[in-house]
């Protein structure tokens, strides 16, 4: 049974306590061997079937105003034990036969909360009402510019979420462009928006596609786009000062000037993930301009990926090796994220988004716009210290 709570215009839709048993890890992932020496070694990459079932159960049971599907798929642990899942274009229920939904404009950014012990999604958070849903940040419906979520992190008693400002640029499925980045702060534990402020965005780098806390720093990863590919960059802020001044990696040290930032890895996706595994750092990415392959790089520091080996670990069965952006109804995969909160010492949970160039594919079966989850298994070993 579901019910909703409204806090001054912010609607939180709560799901009952039905659980879904985790199934075995099955699917198209092949056994692989990544790295050598002290590097973490990936021994298998397989669908995380149990987690996938939980999200399917949650989305298939969506009522009006509740999450049925969407992309983005960043996860952030909260101090009370919950996980906040940050989604971008979100389609809402009710969900009908064949996982169909009534055609409607998506809500550009939402949050889904999940139980921290079971990883089970429990409720949808957005502004407005179930009849008139509004994004947590930015304007309603098709108004612009709008915001898509980047990654989020709890710092100084608030949840900070990077917000990528977008506007229409041309026609077609990919007719949009990024025009700036802001930083939203939400209060805890109620996840109400408190403030949106500008942050670094003056040198063509979209900061906030990944956040990683290491020691006294929060590392802020960004994506630059210099043809023919996209490049990873990294900055850092002191813990408790994410909304203050940053330092930018120059290739040999750190500078207070954003213009001094250099690429730490070429040929990354618009979004990619970085996590600590067995005392090393693992970067997971797709190709720069879509494709079906997912790759892993490993490094000894959060910023040491330049020149590291690029190893394919998974070929997404939904993706197209030769994607045609002009095709009507072409299913594609993109934008990986990592989920350390759901992971253990010898495994890393990864997600990737699924979408279609035809909106009819999503209205007819909203599972075509739900993330897929993978379990990267690493060989047991001592930390590389």
């Amino acid at each position: 049974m579901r019910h909703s709570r409204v806090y001054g215009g912010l609607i939180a839709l709560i799901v009952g306590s039905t659980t879904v048993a985790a199934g075995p890890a099955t699917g198209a992932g092949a056994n692989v061997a990544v790295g050598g020496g002290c590097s973490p070694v990936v021994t298998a990459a397989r669908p995380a079937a149990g987690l996938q079932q939980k999200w399917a159960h949650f989305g298939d049971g969506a009522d009006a105003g509740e999450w049925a599907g969407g992309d983005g798929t960043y996860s952030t642990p909260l101090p009370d034990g919950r996980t906040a899942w940050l989604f971008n274009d979100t389609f809402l229920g009710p969900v009908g036969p064949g996982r169909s939904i009534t055609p409607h404009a998506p809500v550009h950014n939402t949050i889904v909360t999940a139980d921290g012990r079971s990883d089970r999604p429990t409720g949808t958070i957005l502004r407005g009402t179930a009849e008139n849903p509004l994004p947590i940040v930015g304007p309603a419906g098709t108004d612009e510019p709008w915001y898509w979520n980047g990654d989020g992190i709890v710092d100084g008693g608030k949840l900070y979420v990077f917000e990528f400002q977008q506007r229409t640029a041309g026609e077609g499925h990919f007719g949009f462009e990024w025009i700036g980045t802001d930083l939203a702060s939400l209060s805890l534990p109620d996840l109400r928006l408190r403030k949106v402020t500008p942050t670094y965005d003056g040198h063509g780098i979209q900061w906030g596609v990944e956040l990683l806390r290491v020691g006294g720093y929060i590392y802020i990863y960004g994506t630059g786009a210099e043809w023919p590919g996209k490049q990873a960059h990294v900055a850092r802020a002191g813990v408790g000062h994410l909304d203050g001044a940053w330092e930018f990696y120059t290739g040999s040290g750190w500078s207070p000037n954003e213009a001094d930032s250099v690429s730490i890895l070429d040929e990354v996706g618009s979004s990619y993930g970085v996590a600590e595994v067995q005392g090393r750092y693992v970067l997971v990415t797709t190709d720069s301009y879509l494709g079906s392959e997912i790759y892993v790089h490993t490094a000894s520091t959060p910023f040491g990926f330049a020149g590291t080996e690029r190893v394919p670990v998974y070929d997404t069965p939904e993706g197209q090796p030769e994607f045609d952006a002009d095709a009507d109804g072409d299913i594609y995969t993109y934008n990986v994220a990592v989920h350390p909160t759901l992971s253990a010492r010898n495994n890393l949970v990864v997600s990737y988004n699924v979408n279609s160039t035809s909106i009819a594919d999503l209205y007819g079966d909203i599972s075509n716009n739900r993330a897929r989850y993978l379990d990267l298994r690493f060989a047991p070993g001592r930390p590389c210290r």
Side-chain angles (χ1 to χ4, degrees), residues 317-338:
E318 306 87 355
Q320 302 293 327
E322 296 182 2
F323 175 74
D324 182 359
D326 296 323
D328 186 22
D330 204 355
I331 301 291
Y332 63 95
T333 58
Y334 60 110
N335 284 16
V336 302
V338 296

Side-chain angles (χ1 to χ4, degrees), residues 113-124:
T113 54
D115 183 89
R117 292 167 296 179
S118 68
D119 304 326
R120 180 179 58 85
T122 54
T124 305

Side-chain angles (χ1 to χ4, degrees), residues 48 96 102 176 186-187 195 230 289 347 370:
T102 301
F176 57 86
L186 289 80
S187 57
K195 186 167 58 172
K230 297 176 183 177
Y289 297 104
N347 81 293
R370 293 176 184 168

